[in-house]
Amino acid sequence: MVFARDTEMNLLAAAELVNTARRRDGHDALSTVADLDAYFRHWGYTGRHDRDDAEVADVRLARDRIARLWDVERDEAAELVNVMLREADAVPFLVRHDAVDWHLHATAPGAALASVIVVETAMGVVDVVRSDEYARMKVCAGDGCHAVLVDLSRNRSRRFCDVNGCGNRAHVAAYRARRATHDREPPGA
């Protein structure tokens, strides 16, 4: 584990949220209330969830704001995070609920879901910035892919996103290139 469990979860949830708009097939995977419900449940968010089109629109705006964190350098990310936290009047506090041990929340219990997502993402990025690990916030290395990822591998070697199958594509292309080279070699070479 590179960061605290809640930091890793916040970062991974943020990457998944950003990637709902960066699919190769062009489909926005956050366009309905059902899409948002699935995201909410999958990442274990707690608190207010209005389950309406206005909330979906607000979370999509939050997604665009969060996506910017992958487009900037560490110092600018620190500034963006400070603005996010300040605008939300974030006040970190420890909580324990469900099966999750002590972790940080920073929004009032009745805060809008979009605000919770922005603040929890910002709290995760705080740890990335202050530990000088911003290089872990990556854009996929797949050809033509703009999806994002958080490299939580021990050796910082992750290069491909989960959303578009880019790792698989790269491996198949490398295999085909090796086969093509092998097939062109004269027999017995």
Side-chain angles (χ1 to χ4, degrees):
M1 184 179 297
V2 178
F3 301 107
R5 182 183 181 282
D6 57 330
T7 295
E8 289 186 3
M9 296 302 287
N10 291 340
L11 295 170
L12 294 171
E16 182 177 305
L17 178 65
V18 170
N19 288 340
T20 61
R22 297 187 179 196
R23 294 169 43 122
R24 231 180 244 284
D25 63 9
H27 171 73
D28 188 330
L30 186 67
S31 37
T32 67
V33 172
D35 294 338
L36 184 55
D37 283 345
Y39 176 80
F40 181 88
R41 281 190 313 277
H42 176 77
W43 290 104
Y45 285 100
T46 59
R48 183 174 147 201
H49 180 26
D50 298 337
R51 292 177 175 86
D52 59 25
D53 290 334
E55 185 178 54
V56 172
D58 289 346
V59 171
R60 287 173 63 140
L61 289 172
R63 173 183 68 188
D64 296 342
R65 191 169 183 199
I66 289 167
R68 180 120 170 78
L69 293 167
W70 274 269
D71 297 332
V72 299
E73 297 297 319
R74 180 175 173 235
D75 290 349
E76 189 174 347
E79 293 172 24
L80 292 173
V81 164
N82 285 337
V83 169
M84 290 174 175
L85 295 172
R86 190 172 34 255
E87 286 178 354
D89 293 324
V91 178
F93 56 96
L94 287 165
V95 296
R96 181 170 47 190
H97 55 82
D98 304 323
V100 183
D101 202 6
W102 291 109
H103 61 284
L104 287 172
H105 281 203
T107 55
L113 180 57
S115 181
V116 170
I117 292 170
V118 167
V119 169
E120 289 190 5
T121 299
M123 295 293 291
V125 175
V126 162
D127 284 351
V128 175
V129 168
R130 67 192 185 113
S131 62
D132 197 15
E133 292 285 351
Y134 208 73
R136 292 180 180 275
M137 306 278 289
K138 299 179 179 182
V139 174
C140 181
D143 288 337
C145 186
H146 303 288
V148 300
L149 59 110
V150 180
D151 182 358
L152 298 176
S153 67
R154 187 173 292 163
N155 63 359
R156 297 170 183 81
S157 61
R158 186 161 174 228
R159 298 177 38 220
F160 300 108
C161 69
D162 292 331
V163 70
N164 291 318
C166 294
N168 237 8
R169 271 183 228 287
H171 290 108
V172 168
Y175 170 77
R176 288 181 178 158
R178 285 191 307 274
R179 289 295 301 166
T181 299
H182 179 269
D183 292 346
R184 284 191 303 261
E185 291 178 0

